[in-house]
Amino acid sequence: MNGELRLCSAEAAALADPARVGGKGRQLGVLRQRGLPVPDFFVIPAAWSRRAGGAQGGLPDALLAMLHSELAARGWLQTPLAVRSSASCEDAAVASFAGVFVSRLNVCGTSALTAAVAEVWASLGTPTAAAYRERLGLADEAAMAVVVMPLLPAVASGIAFTCDPISGREDRIVVHANWGLGETLVGGESEGDEYVFSEDTSDVWRLLECRPGRKTVHAQPAAGGGTERLPVPGAQAQAPVLACEQAEALAALLRDAALACDFVAPFHDLEWVWDGGQFWLTQARPVTRRPYYTYAGLRGQPPIWTRGNTCEVMPEPLQAMDWNFSRRGCNDLLEQGWRLAGAPLLPGVQRAGLFGGRLYLEAAIMQWEAWDGVGLLPERFNALMGGHQPVIATTPPGWRQRLQRLGRTFNYLRRAPALGRRGDAEVVAALALARAPRSVTLPSDNKALAALLHNTLRPARESIGLFFLQGSGGGSLSLLLDTLERHFPGEGAAVGAALLAGGEPSVTAQQAYALLALAQVARKRHVQGHPWPVGKNGDWQPWLSDPEFAPELAAFLDRYGHRGHYETYLRSPRWSEAPELLLEQLPALAEVDAGALHRRQQAAAAAAWQRIRRELPVWARPLIRAQVKAATRDSNRREAARSALIALLAAGRRLWLQIGERLVAEGALAAADEIFHLFPSELERYAEGHLTSGGLRARVAERQARFAQWQAMVPEEWFRPDCGDVARDSEAAGAGRYAPAGMDRAGEASPGGVWRGVATGTGIVRGRVRRLRHPSEGAMLQPGEILVAPSTDPGWTPLFLKAAGLVVETGGYLSHAAIVAREFALPAVINLPGILDALGDGDEVEVDGLRGEVRRC
């Protein structure tokens, strides 16, 4: 028989084309495959509905024989069954068809199953279904598969949404529950109880509110088949369907199901059943047309998703563990300053998104919060943030708004010192955690292991001071640049960069100076007859045991070993794990003159102060001096907070890999680093026995395949989806790079061979281009060359010491490249998308850090 006509098992449905098993059959198969509690089932393929011409001539004899044989083999001939529609167009991301097609419950025996299947097929051609397809522009030739599973003995059941379907809030789960079967809820005969859950700082879903509803009638299986409506006894009608602990267990299951279906957009409409012993899932479909949850002042304006800031620290796709950290972390970082000022924040607003696997920020919301909170112009916010995204539309504030914003600014200045001191203390604590023993003894008890997982994440969630230092460090720099721009129109950024050169070094600069000192120790040993390893993969082992060099390296790694290349990714090895990433830089760094670097910094700062004394009135100088001090302090604190947060991630990474090794031994993973494709909540559920090893393997396999697709995509710099549809296909967002309208695209030669970006360093320099796409290629950079990079993070800092100038495709005034280039008085221009492809190695260019220009010589 044609393979398309064979009955499809639950296991096969997870791998089948939805055109064969329908949306519902495929989703149920996926849930079951990925370890969720879904009853066993089989699917009558959609091809049978085409062959039978709907239900006009009844079921074909061949299908009747197959069904009888299948029921007999499964022991289901006398088992009450649920017969559910699963059209090829049903339960999709753009069309749910909820309530349009027929399902039949309490179907017993082959004859009753035959009649039920015919009814389900017939519902495909109803006027309601035809009108729904026409409204969505779907083809009329849709076919109907049918899901057949045992009817669960429902003590209670209901429907749930893993977001708020009315507002669109992502930090809510909404559950409706009633006694008995779920037909009365779906049909509107009973309201049931409504439970609302919120996500706490520990990624646990807590019951926020229970709203009792009308529960006067419930559905139960009828003696002769089908269902009947019965009144709910008075005491039961008044009692809540779910106790608090029971409800929170259901919420955890629902969230896990949504992550298993799609961790990028875990917003699903699910049906569940409680049989008195456990919860079961009987349906899952994506929430369609999820509303855009935003500020009232932005209504009518579409969101602006941008990588202008995030592509510096996370330019490549994220794995599940990275997204778990970033989804919450971005909000925590960005909210603290506004909370301190007393700005009117919208609860539950989401500022981070994952599109094509890349991390984007919602610039419209962020611009609005800065504008509405303290009056920071969207244009100025973009300059701090980086990127070429557009600005939101605003209206001039009235006098009351201006007074409110002035008051918030005063609140911020009054309260910031105390929170800053808390942040300083949390920096010290986080670094101490990073220096803890590299391994811990994992408890054998799974419950204790789940607790260890939970407690390891807690410091990264609750370090409010750290978040404040990392996310709110741009205010003082913005004030300094505004002041300088008023006095030096068109040159404010360049003058500011010079003033900040040579000040108290940030932890990133200290790290660079310590590396230079280590390189000098290595140079001394080299002069004494120790040869440098040859090539990128040279053998550094003799150096690791050298009695003079090894202690110096150990001291460096004790302080900075939690850093690494693109260190924000949990998957990235740290310098303490892979010291060769540092060691291969030493031969070139040994030739760097640290004294010349300091003299360059001092000369830049001295020249800027001399100009201020020459051109500005005496009364303006103390203000500028105070603002320079504040900007230096806050920029340094920002770098220190970043280092501390990375330390927390490094501690987490060590634990994850240890657990990954245990899961390999248990057969749940093939390699320890596969653990980064999982969420902490999934590991906790596995440790508690709620998730099987097979479920873990299936999730990892799907995410590995998706990650490979993401890696092959070229992401857009920014995009604006439809305002009414934030459920935009995350894969479509990576279709191609965006060239901002009305601006020179850096990848194309502009008039005169000049590219204009953001000036973030001092001075002017000429040199030959060296293009590097990853810091691991740093050995190719020779002293005196112009480093051209797609993005930079602290893993690139050693290369800044060798480079004569810096050109970066991404970033703004607060980016890592900008902060460190200013500290080192390095001529630098950033925010030039496409320049990496426009220039070639060996090209002669001039980097003008005063004007923010790169010229081909």
Side-chain angles (χ1 to χ4, degrees):
M1 177 178 287
N2 185 335
E4 289 297 307
L5 296 176
R6 292 196 183 98
L7 300 181
C8 192
S9 68
E11 291 72 23
L15 306 174
D17 190 326
R20 183 183 180 214
V21 297
K24 187 177 299 177
R26 170 66 192 281
Q27 287 283 72
L28 287 173
V30 166
L31 287 176
R32 187 176 166 89
Q33 177 202 53
R34 297 176 190 173
L36 278 304
V38 173
D40 194 13
F41 66 91
F42 67 86
V43 181
I44 302 171
W48 278 110
S49 72
R50 294 193 188 94
R51 172 169 287 206
Q56 300 301 317
L59 272 62
D61 291 341
L63 177 58
L64 290 173
M66 291 171 61
L67 291 177
H68 183 81
S69 176
E70 187 73 18
L71 295 182
R74 292 173 175 267
W76 290 0
L77 284 172
Q78 302 303 318
T79 300
L81 302 172
V83 181
R84 302 180 183 275
S85 66
S86 185
S88 56
C89 54
E90 190 177 1
D91 289 359
V94 295
S96 68
F97 281 86
V100 173
F101 301 128
V102 165
S103 290
R104 290 289 176 255
L105 305 180
N106 195 27
V107 175
C108 295
T110 304
S111 297
L113 175 60
T114 300
V117 170
E119 286 186 78
V120 172
W121 281 353
S123 68
L124 187 65
T126 63
T128 301
Y132 192 96
R133 286 195 297 271
E134 182 179 358
R135 181 165 62 86
L136 294 177
L138 300 175
D140 288 335
E141 58 270 16
M144 177 68 76
V146 180
V147 173
V148 180
M149 66 171 55
L151 179 67
L152 295 169
V155 175
S157 59
I159 56 178
F161 301 89
T162 54
C163 64
D164 188 325
I166 305 301
S167 70
R169 282 187 69 163
E170 299 183 13
D171 63 336
R172 294 288 183 267
I173 290 176
V174 180
V175 173
H176 297 271
N178 192 33
W179 302 109
L181 298 170
E183 284 187 315
T184 54
L185 276 178
V186 175
E189 301 164 75
S190 176
E191 294 173 355
D193 296 338
E194 182 179 74
Y195 299 80
V196 181
F197 304 85
S198 64
E199 186 180 18
D200 69 11
T201 58
S202 301
D203 295 337
V204 176
W205 292 85
R206 303 295 186 190
L207 181 61
L208 181 66
E209 184 179 7
C210 176
R211 303 165 183 161
R214 177 171 51 87
K215 304 187 294 287
T216 56
V217 62
H218 65 144
Q220 292 292 341
T227 61
E228 60 181 343
R229 305 297 190 266
L230 298 173
V232 178
Q236 190 179 26
Q238 298 302 315
V241 176
L242 301 173
C244 178
E245 184 177 347
Q246 189 182 25
E248 289 181 348
L250 173 59
L253 170 63
L254 295 168
R255 175 65 177 179
D256 187 50
L259 290 175
C261 288
D262 183 0
F263 78 85
V264 174
F267 314 118
H268 281 69
D269 168 2
L270 300 115
E271 295 184 10
W272 58 271
V273 170
W274 169 254
D275 66 1
Q278 76 166 90
F279 288 105
W280 297 88
L281 300 176
T282 57
Q283 182 167 294
R285 55 185 169 226
V287 173
T288 57
R289 305 293 294 183
R290 183 168 58 89
Y292 174 41
Y293 182 61
T294 190
Y295 290 90
L298 288 174
R299 297 282 163 77
Q301 298 189 56
I304 304 171
W305 291 104
T306 178
R307 298 177 69 232
N309 178 278
T310 61
C311 63
E312 181 191 35
V313 295
M314 302 188 95
E316 296 301 318
L318 279 65
Q319 293 171 313
M321 194 78 79
D322 292 323
W323 174 231
N324 179 75
F325 167 75
S326 300
R327 180 182 64 88
R328 292 289 302 272
C330 287
N331 289 320
D332 290 336
L333 290 173
L334 295 168
E335 286 184 357
Q336 300 312 316
W338 305 132
R339 291 189 184 281
L340 202 67
L345 293 178
L346 181 65
V349 70
Q350 180 60 37
R351 302 169 186 84
L354 203 63
F355 299 93
R358 271 75 173 187
L359 180 62
Y360 284 75
L361 295 180
E362 216 290 54
I365 284 174
M366 294 166 63
Q367 290 173 16
W368 174 262
E369 289 172 338
W371 164 251
D372 189 50
V374 297
L376 183 64
L377 290 172
E379 294 84 353
R380 173 53 99 187
F381 184 89
N382 272 358
L384 291 170
M385 182 180 186
H388 299 91
Q389 61 276 353
V391 298
I392 59 173
T394 60
T395 55
W399 66 269
R400 282 192 178 86
Q401 288 177 301
R402 288 195 292 268
L403 283 178
Q404 287 174 339
R405 292 168 181 177
L406 186 62
R408 292 174 193 139
T409 301
F410 176 76
N411 287 340
Y412 180 91
L413 295 174
R414 180 169 56 87
R415 299 169 179 170
L419 192 53
R421 289 191 294 272
R422 173 178 172 176
D424 293 337
E426 289 174 350
V427 166
V428 175
L431 293 175
L433 176 61
R435 297 191 187 101
R438 285 199 172 194
S439 62
V440 297
T441 301
L442 296 181
S444 56
D445 176 67
N446 281 339
K447 188 173 182 179
L449 179 60
L452 177 62
L453 276 167
H454 181 79
N455 291 332
T456 302
L457 291 171
R458 180 171 294 166
R461 296 190 188 102
E462 299 178 354
S463 299
I464 302 302
L466 270 184
F467 298 147
F468 169 69
L469 296 184
Q470 173 68 10
S472 305
S476 56
L477 177 60
S478 178
L479 290 173
L480 171 64
L481 295 179
D482 286 343
T483 299
L484 293 173
E485 191 64 26
R486 286 196 299 271
H487 292 293
F488 305 103
E491 300 180 79
V495 175
L499 292 174
L500 294 171
E504 182 180 351
S506 69
V507 66
T508 308
Q510 294 174 31
Q511 169 187 303
Y513 298 141
L515 187 57
L516 279 180
L518 183 65
Q520 289 305 309
V521 176
R523 184 176 186 275
K524 178 182 177 182
R525 300 299 289 161
H526 175 63
V527 171
Q528 292 173 349
H530 292 68
W532 296 119
V534 178
K536 180 176 175 58
N537 298 315
D539 182 13
W540 284 93
Q541 195 59 42
W543 288 79
L544 297 178
S545 57
D546 182 84
E548 293 188 26
F549 177 76
E552 298 294 333
L553 175 62
F556 179 89
L557 293 178
D558 179 65
R559 187 171 184 183
Y560 302 112
H562 60 283
R563 312 306 294 262
H565 296 166
Y566 289 116
E567 60 196 12
T568 311
Y569 295 105
L570 278 163
R571 66 176 182 261
S572 296
R574 313 294 149 161
W575 287 340
S576 59
E577 302 171 58
E580 64 275 6
L581 298 175
L582 278 177
L583 297 176
E584 64 187 16
Q585 301 290 335
L586 296 184
L589 291 177
E591 305 303 319
V592 174
D593 184 348
L597 173 62
H598 288 296
R599 289 191 295 274
R600 184 176 72 193
Q601 295 168 329
Q602 293 165 1
W609 283 116
Q610 184 178 9
R611 184 177 179 188
I612 286 174
R613 287 191 294 269
R614 183 176 65 249
E615 300 183 25
L616 297 188
V618 174
W619 60 264
R621 300 170 195 171
L623 174 62
I624 293 176
R625 194 172 296 277
Q627 288 180 335
V628 168
K629 182 179 179 180
T632 300
R633 179 200 63 212
D634 290 351
S635 293
N636 288 0
R637 278 177 153 181
R638 181 181 172 90
E639 289 294 292
R642 175 183 171 79
S643 177
L645 287 171
I646 296 303
L648 294 175
L649 292 183
R653 171 180 163 83
R654 292 198 298 268
L655 177 60
W656 302 140
L657 287 174
Q658 279 189 264
I659 296 173
E661 290 168 0
R662 172 184 284 190
L663 295 183
V664 170
E666 294 175 359
L669 297 179
D673 62 359
E674 288 183 350
I675 198 169
F676 299 122
H677 283 294
L678 296 170
F679 283 81
S681 61
E682 293 173 321
L683 295 176
E684 290 187 34
R685 290 185 67 78
Y686 173 78
E688 294 168 350
H690 298 311
L691 185 55
T692 65
S693 59
L696 286 185
R697 288 193 302 271
R699 298 180 193 209
V700 168
E702 184 273 333
R703 292 168 188 172
Q704 284 177 323
R706 196 174 190 184
F707 186 77
Q709 293 175 345
W710 286 341
Q711 287 180 307
M713 298 169 71
V714 179
E716 295 171 295
E717 182 191 348
W718 65 269
F719 66 89
R720 263 182 154 163
D722 263 345
C723 189
D725 183 17
V726 298
R728 170 179 168 151
D729 182 0
S730 63
E731 316 304 343
R737 179 176 292 169
Y738 181 83
M743 301 180 67
D744 288 335
R745 178 181 170 87
E748 300 171 358
S750 54
V754 178
W755 292 268
R756 294 178 177 85
V758 176
T760 56
T762 60
I764 302 173
V765 67
R766 288 192 177 191
R768 292 185 177 180
V769 165
R770 176 64 63 186
R771 299 175 305 159
L772 301 181
R773 298 184 182 274
H774 193 275
S776 62
E777 303 170 346
M780 299 167 58
L781 178 68
Q782 300 303 309
E785 291 184 327
I786 305 297
L787 170 60
V788 181
S791 62
T792 68
D793 75 344
W796 289 81
T797 301
L799 306 184
F800 290 15
L801 300 171
K802 297 191 291 181
L806 178 67
V807 178
V808 187
E809 290 195 325
T810 64
Y813 290 131
L814 291 178
S815 67
H816 166 77
I819 290 174
V820 179
R822 285 191 292 264
E823 286 195 89
F824 290 167
L826 186 66
V829 181
I830 65 174
N831 213 12
L832 292 172
I835 192 105
L836 197 68
D837 294 327
L839 297 175
D841 287 331
D843 287 354
E844 287 279 346
V845 297
E846 180 181 83
V847 179
D848 188 337
L850 303 176
R851 297 174 179 268
E853 295 178 350
V854 177
R855 301 180 184 87
R856 195 190 299 274
C857 298

